[in-house]
Amino acid sequence: MDFFDDIIIDIKQLTFSRGERYICKNMDIRIPRGKVTAIMGPSGTGKTTLLKLIGGQLKPDSGSILLDGDDIPRLGRSELFDAREKMGMLFQSGALFTDMTVFENVAFPLRVHTKLPQDMIRDIVLMKLQAVGLRGAAELMPSELSGGMGRRVALARAIALDPALVMYDEPFTGQDPIAMGVLVNLIKKLNQALGHSSIIVSHDIKETLSIADYIYIIADADVIAHGTPEQLKQNDSDQVRQFMRGLPDGPVPFHFPARDYETELMEGR
Amino acid sequence: MAAIVNNLALLGRFALDRVAAIGRSGLILMHAIIARPQPLIAFPLLIRQLYSVGVLSMVIIVVSGLFIGMVLALQGYTILVDYGTEQAVGQMVALSLVRELAPVVTALLFAGRAGSALTAEIGLMKTTEQLSSMEMIGVDPLRRIIAPRFWAGVISLPILTMIFSAVGIWGGLLVGVEWLGIYEGSFWSNMQNSVDFFDDIGNGLIKSLVFGLVVTWVAVFQGYDSVPTSEGISQATTKTVVYSSLAILGLDFILTALMFGDL
């Protein structure tokens, strides 16, 4: 079956720039429904920015981002907040509300978007915390959690409303190997069990390849390759090979653009 | 020539940035003010902010009010006693407090105590992506975070100003009557004869309401608009205190000219 028979997000001709620099230029990305899609690329290529564009936190210069037919950049403020109920996002830092307990953090989206009775909210929160293995930490404050635990709580919060789309911003960065393994499994399992679509932004190749159904690699403000993990492993473009194998220099330069090295050194004399 | 053009360009950029910032702050104010009220959610949030913005500022307001009232009475007495009019101390203390000192000093203290705290809190929420994650959960931080803090500031400052005046007058009484021996009857009756409820107390309260709006607006805007780094937050907190202090003093002159200029 083709991945793209049923797509949840359709990004067309997306252009976004910061000052003179293009973060994406006429970019086309389609996110299949019910699958784990990874967006990979070297640091600083605007992967997080792309998630913020999808979430409507940034407005593109041009192009469209269709979420089930709604063009995110063109939604009004209140429609945008309604559309966000369909999305969950796991921030790189976790971004838990520091003045609430773990329980209240996970309950927050339920309390603001549903009129469920207290005992039902309690049950849902406990189920979500059980799913991430932190039911026992329900009464702790975010400051009492380790980084990995914080991110799992944030994950429980992101899936509290059973969103159609969950976006993960660098979920594996800064995790110890055990927490990393736990997260990888969780993301895969949750995707299968809850049937939502996931977008993972990451540059951790091994982990991402192990759970992604489809991968986009972006560099130089555009998609340089896309395909299933198998297809990408066999891709013979220099740029893709450099990234997939983690070679320090290649078509994606190791050096930030600079003047000639020798000239600059000699100038100081 | 190139240097002149560059400087002009810098000046232009500076002006554009300022105008854009004013525009953004206007939008924030508008969203905070016209947000459709949801009493069940908004009321508990407002109460919590009234506590942290208002109640927790009480100590500094009460202590400062007491000392300022005492100093006013002491200074007034040493001048007025030469003319044999020391009974007017009560009137002098009360008028200086309700017209000028209470609104201005309370607002300045409030900017330092509560304004800076609001900016730092909101700035840190931005730095730790709490505001972004709230947006992504589908909750507007302008309504959930900014609006209750803004209204708490606007409500608290006039009340704090009244407390400041009352404590200040009591401080004046302690020094003037209890210590320096002014006749208590004339202390109060002179005050009652000269202080007008609408002209003096009312105008003082209008001032404090305006200051409350301005200080809290500056504070929440600086926090919300801060650069999400530790340096950015420190700059934003400094700006809150500096801008709101200048705004208080400048507006005080304008308001005084409008209210009492024709006397």
Side-chain angles (χ1 to χ4, degrees):
Chain A
M1 172 202 128
D2 190 346
F3 274 115
F4 299 108
D5 285 347
D6 187 10
I7 51 179
I8 182 160
I9 287 206
D10 194 357
I11 298 177
K12 287 180 192 154
Q13 295 291 303
L14 187 72
T15 301
F16 179 77
S17 57
R18 282 218 165 101
E20 303 284 294
R21 184 169 159 252
Y22 280 103
I23 307 287
C24 33
K25 198 171 182 180
N26 298 330
M27 192 181 264
D28 291 305
I29 287 183
R30 288 185 296 168
I31 308 289
R33 193 185 302 275
K35 304 281 179 205
V36 179
T37 308
I39 295 171
M40 306 186 74
S43 299
T45 45
K47 303 186 295 291
T48 302
T49 308
L50 189 58
L51 289 190
K52 289 196 168 170
L53 285 164
I54 296 175
Q57 292 188 299
L58 297 173
K59 285 222 185 295
D61 301 343
S62 62
S64 61
I65 302 168
L66 300 171
L67 167 69
D68 281 337
D70 289 334
D71 191 6
I72 299 284
R74 278 165 199 82
L75 293 180
R77 199 172 168 83
S78 61
E79 296 161 326
L80 182 60
F81 279 105
D82 291 341
R84 282 178 182 152
E85 284 181 47
K86 295 187 203 163
M87 308 178 200
M89 179 150 169
L90 179 68
F91 283 82
Q92 207 166 342
S93 60
L96 295 173
F97 303 131
T98 43
D99 57 342
M100 299 180 189
T101 61
V102 165
F103 183 94
E104 285 302 322
N105 261 286
V106 182
F108 183 79
L110 297 163
R111 290 200 204 286
V112 292
H113 288 306
T114 69
K115 293 194 165 60
L116 295 174
Q118 279 305 320
D119 51 347
M120 199 176 282
I121 288 185
R122 181 178 169 276
D123 290 350
I124 297 176
V125 172
L126 291 181
M127 279 156 63
K128 300 294 175 190
L129 283 174
Q130 174 75 12
V132 299
L134 288 174
R135 188 165 46 84
E139 293 313 316
L140 296 183
M141 294 303 283
S143 57
E144 296 172 278
L145 304 175
S146 71
M149 284 161 81
R151 218 171 287 188
R152 275 149 66 193
V153 174
L155 178 53
R157 187 180 65 183
I159 57 170
L161 285 171
D162 290 326
L165 173 74
V166 183
M167 299 188 273
Y168 301 89
D169 186 8
E170 301 284 4
F172 312 121
T173 309
Q175 299 286 311
D176 65 62
I178 301 175
M180 178 108 89
V182 171
L183 266 173
V184 170
N185 279 331
L186 259 180
I187 292 174
K188 188 77 192 168
K189 264 199 215 154
L190 287 174
N191 193 74
Q192 287 164 349
L194 303 177
H196 57 228
S197 317
S198 306
I199 303 179
I200 299 179
V201 150
S202 178
H203 47 224
D204 291 283
I205 295 164
K206 191 170 134 253
E207 288 70 27
T208 310
L209 284 182
S210 72
I211 52 171
D213 297 306
Y214 203 80
I215 297 175
Y216 286 88
I217 299 181
I218 58 175
D220 304 331
D222 203 2
V223 174
I224 57 166
H226 57 98
T228 61
E230 290 313 312
Q231 285 167 346
L232 285 183
K233 276 179 198 164
Q234 278 145 26
N235 191 310
D236 52 4
S237 123
D238 288 344
Q239 226 172 344
V240 176
R241 280 214 327 249
Q242 182 202 353
F243 183 74
M244 301 292 277
R245 293 180 191 175
L247 305 175
D249 214 346
V252 180
F254 168 64
H255 292 286
F256 193 80
R259 290 188 296 143
D260 182 54
Y261 187 35
E262 201 175 326
T263 324
E264 192 163 356
L265 283 178
M266 296 302 281
E267 237 173 339
R269 288 172 178 249
Chain B
M1 189 63 195
I4 299 175
V5 172
N6 276 342
N7 283 332
L8 269 178
L10 277 178
L11 188 70
R13 157 86 43 213
F14 179 79
L16 283 178
D17 285 349
R18 286 290 160 279
V19 173
I22 293 172
R24 287 198 301 277
S25 67
L27 281 177
I28 287 180
L29 183 68
M30 196 179 77
H31 281 292
I33 290 179
I34 63 160
R36 182 165 32 102
Q38 298 168 299
L40 277 181
I41 304 172
F43 196 65
L45 292 172
L46 179 66
I47 295 291
R48 213 162 116 183
Q49 289 310 318
L50 280 173
Y51 176 76
S52 67
V53 169
V55 177
L56 292 183
S57 303
M58 281 274 286
V59 176
I60 187 171
I61 296 299
V62 167
V63 173
S64 314
L66 182 68
F67 282 123
I68 285 182
M70 287 162 71
V71 166
L72 272 179
L74 195 52
Q75 289 282 13
Y77 182 86
T78 54
I79 294 166
L80 293 173
V81 78
D82 290 344
Y83 306 97
T85 51
E86 67 270 20
Q87 284 80 9
V89 162
Q91 149 190 6
M92 196 212 73
V93 169
L95 280 179
S96 340
L97 277 172
V98 296
R99 282 184 177 185
E100 282 299 327
L101 284 170
V104 172
V105 178
T106 310
L108 289 174
L109 292 170
F110 184 80
R113 158 67 185 72
S116 58
L118 282 178
T119 305
E121 187 191 17
I122 297 170
L124 203 60
M125 281 184 175
K126 186 175 180 184
T127 310
T128 52
E129 292 183 308
Q130 292 184 49
L131 296 183
S132 287
S133 69
M134 193 170 273
E135 272 185 3
M136 285 305 299
I137 289 172
V139 176
D140 189 346
L142 287 177
R143 293 173 64 172
R144 180 95 191 181
I145 302 288
I146 305 296
R149 283 165 175 75
F150 176 76
W151 288 116
V154 175
I155 296 169
S156 300
L157 192 53
I159 299 174
L160 290 170
T161 303
M162 284 191 267
I163 294 171
F164 188 99
S165 291
V167 176
I169 290 170
W170 184 63
L173 180 83
L174 280 184
V175 168
V177 175
E178 306 293 328
W179 179 25
L180 300 170
I182 300 169
Y183 175 53
E184 191 173 353
S186 47
F187 181 90
W188 288 117
S189 65
N190 272 335
M191 196 189 297
Q192 280 173 2
N193 287 333
S194 60
V195 179
D196 185 83
F197 185 78
F198 291 104
D199 281 349
D200 299 317
I201 300 177
N203 279 336
L205 282 179
I206 291 175
K207 276 186 182 181
S208 69
L209 192 67
V210 174
F211 296 159
L213 273 163
V214 172
V215 173
T216 333
W217 181 20
V218 170
V220 294
F221 171 67
Q222 289 298 341
Y224 194 75
D225 204 51
S226 61
V227 182
T229 58
S230 34
E231 199 191 5
I233 294 178
S234 105
Q235 276 176 358
T237 348
T238 310
K239 277 187 192 164
T240 293
V241 178
V242 173
Y243 290 174
S244 41
S245 305
L246 292 177
I248 291 162
L249 297 171
L251 279 171
D252 182 50
F253 175 73
I254 295 170
L255 289 171
T256 307
L258 289 175
M259 291 166 173
F260 306 105
D262 56 342
L263 289 178

